């Protein structure tokens, strides 16, 4: 049974520049693994994934006077597509 996972494009200058090398960056659900992410990208964008790297960014600590709190913390998937495939985000 497959579950739906959050899969949103992570559009930064560096991520857009890597699009020329057929690499795309997505922000994904923290509970998702590589196999689930690969299936979701291939199904949603109708492409073939060649390689994938996962980056877990820890939450940052923010301070307001004496109180500390954690903000953010994301999991990114850097996906390389096979030759001949491309994803258009409409930028």
């Amino acid at each position: 049974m497959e579950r739906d996972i959050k899969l949103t494009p992570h559009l930064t200058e560096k991520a857009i520049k890597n699009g020329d090398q057929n690499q795309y960056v997505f922000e994904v659900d923290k509970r998702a693994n590589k196999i689930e992410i690969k299936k979701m990208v291939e199904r949603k964008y109708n492409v073939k994934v060649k390689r994938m790297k996962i980056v877990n960014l820890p939450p940052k600590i923010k301070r307001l006077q004496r109180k500390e709190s954690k903000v953010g913390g994301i999991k990114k998937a850097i996906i390389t597509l096979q030759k001949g495939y491309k994803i258009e985000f409409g930028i």
Side-chain angles (χ1 to χ4, degrees), residues 2-63:
E2 289 186 35
R3 60 185 163 133
D4 285 337
I5 56 173
K6 182 179 95 171
L7 181 74
T8 55
H10 191 75
L11 301 175
T12 60
E13 288 183 32
K14 186 176 181 181
I16 293 170
K17 187 170 43 171
N18 286 345
D20 298 339
Q21 299 170 3
N22 227 12
Q23 286 186 343
Y24 300 91
V25 181
F26 292 94
E27 186 176 327
V28 296
D29 191 359
K30 288 186 178 188
R31 298 168 294 164
N33 59 30
K34 281 186 171 185
I35 297 166
E36 292 174 331
I37 295 168
K38 180 180 177 180
K39 286 180 183 177
M40 187 69 143
V41 169
E42 288 180 346
R43 189 173 26 160
K44 187 173 181 181
Y45 293 105
N46 199 23
V47 295
K48 293 287 183 185
V49 175
K50 179 179 179 183
R51 198 168 94 197
M52 181 182 343
K53 296 178 186 176
I54 300 293
V55 179
N56 281 307
L57 297 174
K60 294 181 180 180
I61 296 176
K62 299 286 183 176
R63 282 187 61 152

Side-chain angles (χ1 to χ4, degrees), residues 66-82:
R66 292 184 211 154
K67 294 185 179 184
E68 289 185 350
S69 61
K70 291 183 180 180
V71 177
I74 61 171
K75 185 175 193 176
K76 293 192 301 186
I78 303 167
I79 296 173
T80 305
L81 300 179
Q82 291 182 2

